[in-house]
Amino acid sequence: AQSVSQHNHHVILSEAASLELGCNYSYGGTVNLFWYVQYPGQHLQLLLKYFSGDPLVKGIKGFEAEFIKSKFSFNLRKPSVQWSDTAEYFCAVIGSMDTGRRALTFGSGTRLQVQP
Amino acid sequence: DTAVSQTPKYLVTQMGNDKSIKCEQNLGHDTMYWYKQDSKKFLKIMFSYNNKELIINETVPNRFSPKSPDKAHLNLHINSLELGDSAVYFCASSPSLTGPQHFGDGTRLSIL
């Protein structure tokens, strides 16, 4: 069974600080990886995704993530956070093979709080 | 235009009642989902439909029954509501079984 671990449950940063949120997954095959963001009281929005190719993917709002296959990791980064980045961040994985479990498995989420 | 819309946005009801949540997507996607987000923000897949066919049915009580009248709709009916059903329920759709998902705004269900 696939699983996703987000080790940082609650992160507090000051504006302009750099951000890195950890995501590790376990799955015995090729995966598609996602980061979603949920602003307070809103629905989940896709930040970025990795299917194949360049392991460094860029998403919206200045976010990027790096897929390191050997470490089963897909960490999210942003060089300089803003107060408006305060939100819950979810890493998610799905097996890209047809025989894989055909549903996203979400991590438990990381609450990011950016202080002005 | 809202891509994935669910109604109602809020649902407050008493234990034992039966309620439905509707979901519609206008993205032309083949796959639709229902997720439950608990008070700790943990998201869990409940059901997945692909071209109106049930693909995933997680360990959800059989009081929960999804219905997909067509590819653009996936409704969720809940019988005999219990306190533990209080959560935010999200509908989502995707162009394929492994593609990125688009989420609705959620339905906050509160059981009194």
Side-chain angles (χ1 to χ4, degrees), chain A residues 4-61:
Chain A
V4 180
S5 297
Q6 291 182 242
H7 309 295
N8 316 105
H9 297 293
H10 189 190
V11 173
I12 302 174
L13 294 173
S14 299
E15 275 194 313
S18 65
L19 169 73
E20 180 157 4
L21 301 183
C23 172
N24 287 90
Y25 69 93
S26 67
Y27 184 72
T30 311
V31 292
N32 293 345
L33 296 152
F34 306 85
W35 274 98
Y36 285 85
V37 60
Q38 186 177 24
Y39 297 104
Q42 295 189 26
H43 62 276
L44 279 84
Q45 301 172 43
L46 182 67
L47 266 183
L48 46 79
K49 62 184 185 289
Y50 173 79
F51 286 3
S52 63
D54 188 344
L56 184 62
V57 292
K58 294 194 184 299
I60 59 171
K61 305 186 183 189

Side-chain angles (χ1 to χ4, degrees), chain B residues 40-93:
Chain B
K40 295 184 179 176
K41 300 285 189 182
F42 186 66
L43 267 163
K44 194 167 187 301
I45 182 78
M46 297 174 70
F47 302 103
S48 165
Y49 269 73
N50 187 53
N51 280 320
K52 295 169 51 182
E53 180 189 348
L54 181 64
I55 299 295
I56 289 173
N57 182 354
E58 287 295 285
T59 49
V60 176
N62 57 15
R63 298 182 293 104
F64 289 79
S65 53
K67 293 271 191 310
S68 181
D70 54 59
K71 268 184 12 172
H73 295 83
L74 181 61
N75 304 324
L76 183 65
H77 189 75
I78 317 169
N79 288 329
S80 303
L81 281 158
E82 299 177 358
L83 285 174
D85 298 332
S86 294
V88 181
Y89 293 83
F90 285 99
C91 177
S93 72

Side-chain angles (χ1 to χ4, degrees), chain B residues 11-29:
Chain B
L11 188 49
V12 181
T13 190
Q14 293 190 326
M15 264 198 321
N17 284 350
D18 303 338
K19 290 293 177 187
S20 292
I21 308 172
K22 295 187 176 181
C23 179
E24 176 182 4
Q25 53 96 2
N26 62 6
L27 297 165
H29 288 168

